[in-house]
Amino acid sequence: MLLSRTVSVVPRSLIRLFARCCSGALCAGIMLSSPLMAKELPVKSKLMMADILKASSATDWRSLNPDNTLYLELPKGRVVIELAPDFAPGNIANIKALVRENYFDGLAIVRSQENYVVQWADPDEKREIKTAKKLIEGEFTVAYSSRLPFTRLPDMDGYAPEVGHANGFPAGRDPKKGTAWLAHCYAAVGVARGTESNSGNGSSLYVVTGHAPRQLDRNITLVGRVVDGMTLLTTLPRGTGALGFYEKAEERMPIRSVRLAADVPESERSKLEVFRTDTAAFKALVAAQRNRGGDWYKVPAGYIDLCNVPIPVRPQK
């Protein structure tokens, strides 16, 4: 028999199993949130992301702050990194100090691990640190503040009680503990460290180039994300050594320089603007991506993972 609507049917035995294994609010939460219990498929969005971006106004976009933007200059082009001082003020201050003493100039990308990260550092570990600090305490989380803009996603997450976006950065938070943190989504930039929490200082940085390794959240300091130039990193040859490290010096990609945008003449800066994540337009974009419409999609997901939410970047108008 054909049904007029697609309905998910749950066997009574499974319902009884749920009833025996859980109780109270927990049981109710499982029953309501389980995809098996959904009565109908989500309705496809009438709007596409392209429609929302086309209809956006100038106030839906923001320019990059040159005081919190890094330019990683490689032989084939520029990688633009936006820093997030609300989440790692101490580490970012030290990175800026390293940049201003030209610490990174002439170093190299030392690692490219398949579906994981690209990392740069001093391959010989001999470069002198002049004005920056040699050790910085890890900033894995920060105190949650209602003053920090946070656009929460409607979907559950396996790594955080709540997830969303804070000033354009994918983030998690725990209201009960009063903490917030950046998430290891694609293009996230972090501070490499050893076993000790204070063993990193920003002299070795990595970028997530593969599937989001969210298990690293709250275990490593994240300082920002790449907003332009990711293809310069994702297309690098994979290292053949352990963890993707390059085994020969000639395999490494040299770094020409790293500069703070504020220290670069305005005429030489990358003119970019980022879609704001604290607007109605962004919420509409999230809704459209949760229930993708159009002719190609046959089954809308009714869900979106934190790291799958796009944060558009475009040339400044």
Side-chain angles (χ1 to χ4, degrees), residues 62 96 122 145 163 168 208 237 245 249 256 266 284 314:
R62 62 178 176 83
K96 290 180 180 180
D122 174 10
S145 171
V163 290
V208 175
F245 279 91
R256 289 183 172 174
E266 189 170 354
R314 71 182 186 186

Side-chain angles (χ1 to χ4, degrees), residues 138-158:
E139 295 171 295
F140 305 152
T141 65
V142 295
Y144 167 69
S145 171
S146 59
R147 297 190 301 273
L148 181 65
F150 190 89
T151 302
R152 183 181 174 185
L153 290 183
D155 299 305
M156 295 180 65
D157 182 83

